[in-house]
């Protein structure tokens, strides 16, 4: 191989996949050994992490992926996907349109919350107790992100987002089974308690706070909290886009035409 | 240069741009000769076509680019851009989200109409008279695209889309000045007359029918009718996204939260 | 509720999700009953189809989702995602960039192949035998899509794409267990035999031909073959984007800078 | 109009466009008065700013829009657009794919540089002299963005990016004509001198530094530096995508297949 060819191959080096004619391996596992033997969630773990999870770890990942698929057509990602589905594009475009919107505000809460949890854990590693680390971690986090701590409280689901307690129960079960440490469940609840204490009224953990606990327990770095949420929400985006395609419509606007008659698309 | 290096350079060959340190040329024109001397519309022509337009051609292109920038927030592209602007993403993402939606239905009418005009012109080149070519061209077009001919009629702008007659007047003026042939203006009006005749009631040309006349007069192939419309609409997408950023909002859904309280984004 | 409010709610109607404060249900199933009890693959089925699959159906869906995650950085979707990851955008944008590219050519083979299989099945429902239906179905398909039948043959994996026989073995096992009919496995193999016979040399089924068998066996309509492939490939897109973020780089171009020194990004 | 309807209309309020049947106005100007009378660059200004620029202001904006259209296929945005063009998608998708990549690193330099210039101007408004404001502004900027100041220096164009001096000459001319103040030209050159002084060797202003001068002189807020660059670069993205469509290819990878034979797209 010429030096030029080596340089090109190095430019696109990857440890995820290698191939030769008739052979495909992911992270060293021949694909035919994976197909039919590992779940989709296990494959997601293998691809993003490099090793295979235990069944208990995979189950916990799976619970978080199931929890986040959709929160209805008022979400910009879902609304945009449904509108795109009426514009004469393929489902790939519909899905890209929805996922593209999962930015810092719409899709970033889990990532931001994971950063907080990991910072608190680091403070404890440096010798702080849970309560002090939590208080200091929240204060530090707010310098970057502002007063409202991502992962806690919900405008609509009062008193409780039904996904969070279910996810936390699964984490606690996994911790009691020894599958995870339970450390981030403690941290998440300490954050919840501290925020509640500071504002003088209880606040609930929401889905982002609970999935961040899971992703931290499983060792995913914060950016993958967003990445995994994007994978999860892609299911809702696809489902709504497909439902809209079956309902029909052309150039679906955000509201019935009678509302904005002067704004017909063209 | 090694054979490998040559192969890579051939893989990415382009006749649009060439450079060396301190020198950039587009289609052979050094960039410093273009900056300050050609308009943005002339540059669009140069980049997509390879040569520079006459001032009259550039003016006609410019009129079409000005005409299509926006048709309000009921258009899926504009609505999605405004929603994206509240999701914590950059303006690049906002613009991509809006433009991505300009598919066959939302952004393809001009391209489809241009195909019809060019097919009619080809029939005339083969000896058909305007009326016959128009009738046969419409019939052929409908086999692919269905009954409603893109470029004619408007649900909202009745009796007339104000952009179309203004654009057609400019085409006629340019034809009388010898800048364009006027052939596609004739064809566009023949299509309008034929459709009206067939349905027994007059129909107006809309913006897509008129911009397709212009793009055909100027020699752009049909896919560029869509491409140029995307450039034009990008201005509206950017403007609305930016206005929304200034209005504020987080995770803007398609309607006021009071309407779909059960569908808060999260 | 006012008539206006009803109209708005109707505009965004969906049978996928319904909510009230503290309650979220998908297709009628409370979310807390799904989390921890259904796999991610089962959730994908529930969301796109409306009911829950049997474990055997879910396993077959899972095998197809696992098979398609990635085929390396030479694929435009993966390459673009890796480049996007160096441009200063979030993982949502990285994923959207990759998925957006899964158009008719890059992501549509499974959908096109499913259309062929279903057309052959319809011809059999109308009384044709398998061989005649296959021959006629292929001829009809080629009128739309051209000579090369999507789902068969592979430029690189010779003699055999290792994913296809593994997937087909799982379909055959599921058919013998009564979980699926096996009808589309027969059709897929008949298509393979017919193409081989017509060209006088054997041809292998590739991953698109095999996943189309699975999606047809499971009752997914053709556009969902693309949608499910997009979900599957999203895993590879995320994994490669994330690996690239860890490798670092800024404005990663398609080849080492030494190859195209005159085309530094700016 | 019902209260509900009013709420919906308020939700989508805009000062950019208003319409009634047969009438479209942008920022109060009937569209038929704009078409044929304002340039595309003037329309971009009107849409994003709310008023019409003077001819001199429009000319300066136009020079910046012309300067940024393209920097070759080694740029991720251009490479991705060319790859997308071979994947079976429309030009809208091609353009969205390219523009989506213009994130903080690939498309954000002008915005970041504009922030620096405006901060220096604010320090001068508070009484600092140019040199002190520049030194302090740079130090402050580096706390956020790091050592390398966006807008200065170029890996390839040595000694000088040919676009920058041409743009600066146009700014100086416009200032001497009274069309702009020239204040940001002074600031840009002070930044250039200060960086050069600090590192002990001269550094050139690049296109981002020069366009940021123009956009600041014209009163555009920093995020629009990115937005306007996205509009400009959209021209290159479209042109390259279209050139690639004409060259043909299917699933174009980042390098010739012979380089990565084991990574055929599928």
């Amino acid at each position: 191989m010429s030096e030029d060819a080596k340089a090109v191959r190095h430019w696109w080096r990857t440890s995820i996949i290698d191939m030769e004619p008739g052979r495909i391996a992911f992270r060293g596992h021949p694909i035919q050994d994976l197909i039919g033997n590992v779940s989709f969630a296990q494959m997601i773990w293998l691809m993003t992490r490099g090793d295979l999870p235990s069944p208990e770890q995979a189950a916990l990942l799976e619970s978080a992926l199931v929890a986040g698929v959709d929160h209805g057509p008022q979400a910009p990602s879902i609304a945009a996907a449904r509108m795109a589905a009426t514009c004469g594009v393929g489902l790939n475009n519909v899905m890209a349109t929805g996922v593209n919107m999962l930015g810092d505000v719409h899709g970033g809460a889990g990532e931001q919350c994971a950063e907080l949890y990991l910072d608190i854990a680091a403070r404890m590693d440096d010798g702080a107790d849970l309560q002090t680390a939590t208080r200091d971690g929240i204060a530090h986090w707010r310098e970057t992100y502002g007063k409202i701590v991502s992962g806690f409280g919900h405008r609509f689901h009062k008193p409780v987002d039904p996904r969070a307690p279910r996810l936390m129960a699964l984490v606690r079960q996994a911790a009691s089974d020894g599958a995870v440490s339970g450390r981030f469940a403690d941290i998440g609840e300490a954050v919840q308690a501290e925020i509640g204490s500071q504002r003088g009224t209880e606040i609930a953990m929401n889905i982002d706070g609970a999935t961040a606990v899971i992703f931290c327990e499983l060792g995913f770095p914060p950016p993958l909290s967003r990445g995994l949420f994007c994978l999860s929400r892609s299911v809702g985006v696809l489902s709504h886009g497909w439902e809209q395609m079956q309902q029909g419509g052309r150039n679906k606007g955000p509201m019935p035409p009678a509302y904005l008659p002067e704004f017909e698309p063209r």
Side-chain angles (χ1 to χ4, degrees), chain A:
Chain A
M1 196 188 305
S2 74
E3 290 305 308
D4 281 330
K6 281 183 196 165
V8 169
R9 294 173 66 88
H10 180 73
W11 188 248
W12 288 102
R13 70 193 178 281
T14 175
S15 63
I16 296 173
I17 181 170
D18 69 293
M19 296 202 270
E20 53 191 53
R23 181 175 173 278
I24 305 171
F26 292 101
R27 307 287 195 178
H29 299 265
I31 184 64
Q32 66 270 26
D33 296 350
L34 296 168
I35 297 171
N37 291 322
V38 305
S39 70
F40 190 39
Q42 286 175 298
M43 190 70 181
I44 293 168
W45 181 300
L46 177 67
M47 291 288 288
T48 52
R49 298 286 289 276
D51 57 1
L52 280 166
S54 70
E56 293 78 12
Q57 290 172 320
L60 208 51
L61 172 58
E62 203 134 28
S63 69
L65 292 170
V66 165
V69 291
D70 182 22
H71 208 255
Q74 184 71 336
S77 54
I78 299 293
R82 294 191 75 117
M83 294 193 293
T86 70
C87 291
V89 300
L91 272 171
N92 57 308
N93 181 306
V94 168
M95 292 174 69
T97 298
V99 170
N100 206 27
M101 283 190 172
L102 300 174
D104 290 347
V105 171
H106 189 17
E111 179 176 358
Q112 293 148 15
C113 188
E115 290 173 4
L116 170 59
Y117 293 166
L118 288 166
D119 178 54
I120 293 169
R123 289 169 192 274
M124 293 172 72
D125 289 344
D126 288 348
D129 61 54
L130 175 58
Q131 192 173 358
T132 304
T134 299
R135 196 177 55 233
D136 293 352
I138 292 173
H140 176 73
W141 188 94
R142 283 176 169 151
E143 288 169 22
T144 303
Y145 291 114
K147 181 157 175 34
I148 307 295
V149 178
S150 299
F152 298 88
H154 206 289
R155 282 197 301 179
F156 176 66
H157 288 303
K158 294 183 186 307
V160 171
D161 178 340
R163 298 166 293 188
R166 175 65 177 144
L167 290 169
M168 287 299 283
L170 291 168
V171 176
R172 289 298 185 190
Q173 183 62 48
S176 77
D177 295 344
V180 297
S181 73
R183 181 186 202 189
F184 292 96
D186 293 343
I187 290 173
E189 290 176 1
V191 171
Q192 179 182 4
E194 176 64 23
I195 299 172
S197 165
Q198 288 181 13
R199 58 182 225 160
T201 173
E202 286 190 5
I203 192 166
M205 187 184 283
N206 64 37
I207 183 177
D208 300 309
T211 52
V213 164
I214 289 178
F215 295 141
C216 288
E217 290 283 356
L218 296 175
F220 286 96
L224 286 182
S225 282
R226 182 176 328 182
L228 294 168
F229 173 66
C230 289
L231 274 184
S232 173
R233 184 54 58 93
S234 292
V235 177
V237 166
L238 170 61
S239 303
H240 279 277
W242 174 239
E243 185 185 54
Q244 183 65 54
M245 280 186 176
Q246 292 171 288
Q247 286 178 8
R250 289 170 63 88
N251 290 333
K252 180 189 182 83
M255 65 207 72
Y259 272 72
L260 287 183
E262 71 276 35
F263 290 131
E264 289 286 320
R266 175 77 66 186

